[in-house]
Amino acid sequence: MDQGTVDRLEHLREQIRFHAHRYYVLDDPVIADGEYDALFRELLELEAAHPELVTPDSPSHRVGGPPLDAFAPAEHVSPMLSLDNIFSAGEFAAFKERVRRYLKTDEPLRFVTEPKLDGLAVDLVYRQGVLAVGSTRGDGLVGENITAQLKTVASIPLKLLAPDGAAIPEELVVRGEVFLPRQGFAQLNRQREREGEAPFANPRNAAAGSLRQLDPKITARRPLAFYVYGVGNPEVVAAPGQEALLAQLGRFGFPVNTLIRVCRDREEVEARYQHLMAIRHELEYEIDGMVVKVDDMGLQQRLGATARAPRWAVAWKFPAVQATTVIEAVEFQVGRTGAVTPVAHLRPVEVNGAVVRRATLHNRDEIERKDLRVHDTVLVQRAGDVIPEIVKVIVEQRNGREQPIVFPTACPECGDPLLAAAGEAVIRCGNRYCPAQNLQKLIHFAGKSGLDIEGLGKKNVEQLVNEGLIRTIPDFFRLDADRLARLDGWGEKSAENVLAAVAARKTLGLAQLIGALGIRHVGEVTAGLLARRFADLQQLMTADKEQLQHIEGIGEQTAESLCAYFEDQENREMIAQLADLGVVVLAEMTEETSRTSLDGRVFLFTGTLQTLSRDEAKQLVKAHGGQVATSISQRVTDVVVGDKAGSKKRKAEELGLAILSEEAFLVLISGESAG
C-alpha cells in the first residue's frame, strides 16, 4: 500500500475532526464551508478507493460532534443522519442513476426539492401530542437536551393540532431546522456590538449560540424561527411520500416552507435549483443549497442509508459564500462627508460566484475589535451584491509577518489634518474643498441614490471631473454636447443620450433632491420625512432646529446637520443656480394633505416600466402616502410588474401578493388624485 495515501487519509481525518469540533461544538469555524466540504469529499473518495483503510473512528462514520457537557444527553429514537453533498447537475444525474441501480427499476422517479436552510437541525419528540423532549443533532445518535430553549421558539408548537378530529400519534418524532431570519440576525449583531460583544459570523452560528444558552430566558430574546422537514418515525404517520408527509405535519401545526416543490424529472430538479439560487438573496432567511429527496416513502425505506447518510436524499450545495484569503495592504478612502474609511486589498478569491479583491474595514474600532493586521489570513463573506466584509481573523494562521494597520493623521487626498469628533469612531477630513470629497458628492448626486442619471455612472463622472467639465452640482445641467462628444470613449450618440437623461431630471420631487444633495445624516428615509412635512424647498431651507426635531424620526444630530447645510452661503448659492438653470422641484403631498387609501400600502416595482421611470413611480407612491420596498417580504402589499419581470414576480405569486400591471397602477394613482 502507498504510504502517501495512508498518511493523507490520517491527515484528512485529523483536519476534519478539528474543524468539525470548531463548527459543531464551539460554533467558531476557522475555515469556510466550501473548504470543509472539499476535505470531506476527498476523504470519502479515498476511502471508497481503499476500503481496507477505513477505520472505526473515521469521520465518515458519524455526523457532527459530541454533545456539550453543559446539557443532559438525549438519545434519538432513530439516527439523525447527515446528507451527502453534490455540487453540479452532473453529480445529480449520477445520484439519480445510483438510485435507479439500487432499486433495479426504470420507472419514473418523483423528487421533492426543499430549500436547504443554514441553521441548526433539531429533534422534537411529541408524546400524546405535547412537546416532551427537544434536542440537537449531536453525534447523530445522542444530542443535547435543549427542550427548555426550544420551547421559547414561537414557531415550534407546544401542542399539536388535531384537524377534523384526526388521530395524533402517541409518539411523534419531528425533525426540522431552527434558524435566524436575516433581519433578526442583523438586529442581534447590532445589539451584541452595543453591549461590547463580538458579532456572530453568520446566522447558523447565531442560531446555534442562541439555542445553547443555558438560560432559556436569553434564548427567548432571540428572534429564532423554525421549519419542519421530516420525522424520525415515519411509520406512525403513514404518509405515502415526502410531499404528503409535510402536508400532514402542516396540519399538525408545524410551519412548512412554501418553496418546497415536487419535480417529476431531472430537468425540473435542475430548473428548481437554478431558481432557488437566483432568488436566495431575496429570501428573508439564509439558504446554502437545495435538498433533493425521493418522494415515495416505500422507495425511501428500500433505499435505506449508509453509516452517515440516506441513499434517497442529497444536498445540492450553492457555491460557497465565504472563503479565506489574505490582507495584502490597506488604503484609506475619503467619502463625500469627509469620512476616511480603511479598505483592505485582498489576495483575489472567488466568493459566491464573484472574485473579491477588496473589503471595507469600516473604522478604527472595527479593526481593533477584530484585531486585523496587514498579512493576516481572514475569513471573508459576500451575500448578493453586498460589499464583501471580513468576518474574522484566522489567528491560527499567523506567522509573525503581520503588521498593525496604522491610521493616517492627514487626509490622504488633500493633506489637511484629520479630525475625530467626540463619541465617533470615524475620522474625517475637515476641508470642504477636498477634491476627494467633492468627487464623491458629484458621483452620489448623479448615481442611483441621487438623481440616477442614465449614462453618468461613477467612471463617467470621474472622467468629466478630470476633464474639467464638472466641478459643482449645477455643472451637470451646463454640459455641452460638442465637448462631451469629443471625449475619449464617447461620441455624438452617447453625448445626446446623456444630455437627454440630464434634461429628464430637471423636474424632480423634493425628496429626490434632498437625498441627492448628500447632506450628512440624511438618507432616503429622512428625505421622505422632510418632503412630507414641508410644502417646498424654501420652507425646508428656512426651518430651524426646533421645527426639524418636531418631525418624528429626525433627531438632534440630523437637525443640526440640516441647519448647517442650508445656512451655508455656498450651498444656498448652489441651489439658486439650479433654479436659474431650469431645475424645478415639485412639492410632495404633505402630512396635512396626504389622506389617501395608499396609506399603509407598500409597493414594490419589478421589470421595465414603459411610461414611467422607476424613480418617478416611486415618487408617485410616496406622494400619495404609500411606501416603497426594494425586496419581497411579508410587509409588501402591492407588486407592480413591467416587462421582463423576473424572480420577484414569481415570489410575489407564491406569497399571494396583489400584482398590478403598470396600467392598473396608473389608474390607481389617478383615482387617488381625483379623490
Side-chain angles (χ1 to χ4, degrees), residues 514-544:
I514 296 169
L517 292 176
I519 304 168
R520 190 177 170 193
H521 302 305
V522 177
E524 182 180 357
V525 173
T526 301
L529 292 174
L530 293 167
R532 285 175 59 80
R533 170 62 179 81
F534 296 100
D536 53 41
L537 182 58
Q538 190 59 37
Q539 278 194 15
L540 172 60
M541 292 175 65
T542 57
D544 59 28

Side-chain angles (χ1 to χ4, degrees), residues 457-508:
K458 179 181 177 181
K459 290 184 178 179
N460 280 353
V461 173
E462 287 178 343
Q463 183 184 17
L464 297 182
V465 170
N466 291 335
E467 295 288 342
L469 272 66
I470 290 179
R471 293 183 299 106
T472 66
I473 285 173
D475 288 339
F476 283 107
F477 301 95
R478 299 187 178 107
L479 288 171
D480 177 77
D482 291 337
R483 293 189 66 185
L484 282 176
R486 291 196 297 269
L487 293 177
D488 185 32
W490 288 64
E492 290 186 8
K493 188 63 177 176
S494 297
E496 290 174 3
N497 290 342
V498 165
L499 288 184
V502 170
R505 292 295 184 267
K506 278 195 171 184
T507 300
L508 69 164

Side-chain angles (χ1 to χ4, degrees), residues 11 137 211 222 244 266 278 340 342 401 444 475 525 556 605:
H11 176 73
R137 184 200 302 271
L211 288 176
R222 306 281 174 85
R266 191 181 77 186
V340 177
R401 293 183 60 247
H444 172 82
D475 288 339
V525 173
E556 181 179 5
F605 295 89

Side-chain angles (χ1 to χ4, degrees), residues 14 69 94 131 237 366 374 402 477 635:
E14 290 177 0
D69 293 336
L131 179 60
V237 182
E366 176 85 354
V374 178
E402 297 76 23
F477 301 95
R635 76 185 192 94

